Amino acid sequence: MPSGEYLLWMLGGYLLTIAVETAVLLVGLSRRHSVRARVFAGVWLTACTYPVVWLVLPPLFPDDRTLYLIVAETFAPVAECILFWAAFVRGLPPDRRATLRDMAAFGVGELIHAYAT
């Protein structure tokens, strides 16, 4: 069971991640998504992947921080793109350019977050 201090760090990191990624999604997602959907996506998608990155993956790589980071920083954007597509894009008329822009927004958000923290 993680310590209280660890969970506080997790909460702080979660709030920082939401702030960075939601800002990127507000600017980066295609116009076919409302502002409300963009904000919801920033909070919900992070909520889906963040516990895995902080609670599930670290015990799997206790002695290899590099491997942990590779797995975590691959898992989070890929999982968020899949979830975003399933929840927000799948039912829309096909628009390859808008979908590519949407997925690129997640990549940019992850890069900014990785270098900001």
Side-chain angles (χ1 to χ4, degrees), residues 16 36-38 48 54 66 70 75-76 78 90 95 111 116:
L16 176 63
R36 183 177 184 179
R38 295 172 198 210
C48 291
W54 275 76
T66 302
I70 291 168
F75 163 77
V78 170
R90 184 177 53 177
D95 185 340
L111 286 173

Side-chain angles (χ1 to χ4, degrees), residues 29-84:
L29 287 177
S30 64
R31 291 197 167 118
R32 65 183 171 170
H33 306 290
S34 69
V35 171
R36 183 177 184 179
R38 295 172 198 210
V39 171
F40 177 75
V43 175
W44 176 67
L45 294 170
T46 301
C48 291
T49 59
Y50 211 74
V52 174
V53 170
W54 275 76
L55 299 173
V56 175
L57 294 179
L60 298 177
F61 305 99
D63 300 322
D64 195 342
R65 176 95 174 138
T66 302
L67 185 56
Y68 159 75
L69 289 172
I70 291 168
V71 172
E73 294 303 328
T74 301
F75 163 77
V78 170
E80 288 178 11
C81 283
I82 291 168
L83 289 169
F84 180 82

